[in-house]
Amino acid sequence: MKGGPVVLSILSGGVHSPYKNYAEDPELRNSYSIKNAADSAGYFNDLFFDRMAKQHSNLGINFVHASPGFVASNWGTEMPFFLKGPIRLMQKMGKSTDKCAGFMVDPILASACGDKLKMERPNGATEGLFIMKEDATGGKLTKAHTSDAMNSVWNSTKDVLKRAGIDLEK
């Protein structure tokens, strides 16, 4: 690709809370809750991909963590009726899946055309992760996005993947 390859993760870029027990309980073995699972998923995504983006061998790759926002999709159809009704009603206010997809592929298309991404990295950084808001503009990292958190999540993720037979050190 002319503007460099793009690794795009669509989850909760910039809108999740940090998971405070990232070092003590990264796998949520002792502190599982739906909120902690959601927060850790988004927070760990930011930290892991920022670490990947800063590795010397990946400096030409654009790592993007995006938040699609509120989308009128078929999510919620499997919920119990007392949840499904309100969810489906609220989804009428969301953006269409086509409009969301247009925003989400914007960095890939821009890069393929040789253009720079239409967003800046958080905090004026010159390397690392891009956070993309639901309208394909740049977003922010949480205040708890620190080197310590990034290293801790990197190491715990490496350990989990190694147990699954995937060695990131090779």
Side-chain angles (χ1 to χ4, degrees), residues 2 4 28 46-47 51 65 75 78-79 83 89 115 136 138 165:
K2 295 179 184 175
L28 288 84
D46 282 355
L47 295 165
R51 176 69 185 261
H65 182 198
W75 180 85
E78 71 289 347
M79 299 283 188
L83 292 176
L89 191 60
D115 299 332

Side-chain angles (χ1 to χ4, degrees), residues 1-27:
M1 293 180 132
K2 295 179 184 175
V6 177
V7 175
L8 176 63
S9 173
I10 302 173
L11 185 59
S12 62
V15 297
H16 54 81
S17 297
Y19 171 59
K20 65 181 179 180
N21 295 326
Y22 67 86
E24 301 82 27
D25 190 19
E27 296 181 46

Side-chain angles (χ1 to χ4, degrees), residues 41-110:
Y43 187 50
F44 288 9
N45 199 312
D46 282 355
L47 295 165
F48 183 81
F49 282 114
D50 197 16
R51 176 69 185 261
M52 291 286 292
K54 290 177 179 175
Q55 287 186 331
H56 181 72
S57 59
N58 293 334
L59 291 181
I61 301 172
N62 300 296
F63 285 82
V64 180
H65 182 198
S67 173
F70 190 49
V71 182
S73 68
N74 66 353
W75 180 85
T77 57
E78 71 289 347
M79 299 283 188
F81 75 93
F82 55 89
L83 292 176
K84 183 180 353 184
I87 289 170
R88 301 303 288 161
L89 191 60
M90 288 188 319
Q91 284 180 330
K92 294 184 184 305
M93 297 181 280
K95 72 172 93 43
S96 72
T97 53
D98 288 345
K99 187 171 188 171
C100 178
F103 285 132
M104 295 298 108
V105 300
D106 186 71
I108 297 170
L109 297 176

Side-chain angles (χ1 to χ4, degrees), residues 119-165:
M119 65 189 108
E120 299 294 322
R121 287 183 174 91
N123 307 324
T126 57
E127 63 180 26
L129 180 69
F130 288 94
I131 297 293
M132 186 169 76
K133 296 191 299 190
E134 61 186 69
D135 60 357
T137 59
K140 298 178 181 178
L141 295 167
T142 68
K143 289 180 182 174
H145 191 100
T146 64
S147 293
D148 177 59
M150 194 173 2
N151 290 331
S152 180
V153 167
W154 175 259
N155 288 328
S156 63
T157 303
K158 280 191 325 183
D159 292 344
V160 168
L161 292 174
K162 195 167 193 169
R163 290 193 315 252

